[in-house]
Amino acid sequence: MQHSDIAVAVPARPYPYALVPDRTALVVIDMQRDFIEPGGFGDALGNDVTRLTAIVPAVARLLAFARGRGWPVIHTRESHRPDLSDCPPAKRLRGNAALRIGDEGPMGRILVQGEPGNAIVEACMPLPGEIVLDKPGKGMFWNTAVHDILAGLGVSHLVFAGVTTEVCVQTSMREANDRGFECLLIEDATESYFPQFKAAAIEMITAQGGIVGWATPLATLTEACA
Ligand code: C5J
């Protein structure tokens, strides 16, 4: 397929982001019940999940926007095989939590593929044809095929949303940035259990001339592309 390289200037921090619609994909990180609903992994680690629940409508609007423009959509899930062969002990044992990865919780085994808690929340459910990427790490490139998938699609620009800002979102953006992708984070379609960490992550991403990428609100993206 022929791609156009015509760019749209999206007002953003630290300066306008040159979005190339024909080469852009949306990446929605880990909008899973395990992080967003009571009884999951986030809750087991002692976090208040309501902060994350609050961004579900914004992520759903961003999904509708991307789908309306025909952008490829990639949904990630932090998840492990049922035998946990892809979960290093260092990860499983970290945090001294009431429920560990692989343990039986109110929504099935924590962070295990195919369990109810591992599913993406209803409002952000992938549509047929969208890419759903199970990732055993925090970053989306570790032990996944996503680099080859993006290369095959001719994607050079990634718009990011999801949870949590300073963990899986920031790690994935850093991995993507190192691989040469131009990354834009949608500020109101990402969230952390800790407001100060969300703010700090966005500062870190956009500092030094966008050392990891850019950030902007959803409405700014949609207005710039109207
Ligand atoms: C965490 C994630 N926080 N999706 N995972 O463990 O950010």
Side-chain angles (χ1 to χ4, degrees), residues 29-30 35 41 78 135 138 163-164 167-169 193:
I29 301 283
D30 299 358
F35 295 109
F41 184 54
E78 185 174 346
K135 60 175 181 62
K138 304 303 182 192
V163 300
T164 61
V167 185
C168 289
V169 176
Y193 300 118

Side-chain angles (χ1 to χ4, degrees), residues 109-125:
R109 293 180 68 203
I110 300 279
L111 286 195
V112 169
Q113 290 166 14
E115 298 289 331
N118 208 235
I120 291 171
V121 294
E122 186 72 34
C124 301
M125 204 60 101

Side-chain angles (χ1 to χ4, degrees), residues 30 32 74-82 86 111-115 118-120 131-137 139-146 149:
D30 299 358
Q32 296 163 253
I74 297 166
H75 305 258
T76 69
R77 293 185 296 217
E78 185 174 346
S79 62
H80 295 278
R81 297 188 198 119
D86 57 356
L111 286 195
V112 169
Q113 290 166 14
E115 298 289 331
N118 208 235
I120 291 171
I131 296 153
V132 181
L133 195 73
D134 285 310
K135 60 175 181 62
M140 70 180 196
F141 288 85
W142 163 244
N143 221 347
T144 76
V146 76
I149 292 170

Side-chain angles (χ1 to χ4, degrees), residues 43-64:
D43 189 16
L45 289 170
N47 299 300
D48 172 11
V49 296
T50 58
R51 294 187 53 78
L52 273 53
T53 314
I55 64 150
V56 169
V59 177
R61 286 200 304 279
L62 176 58
L63 274 164

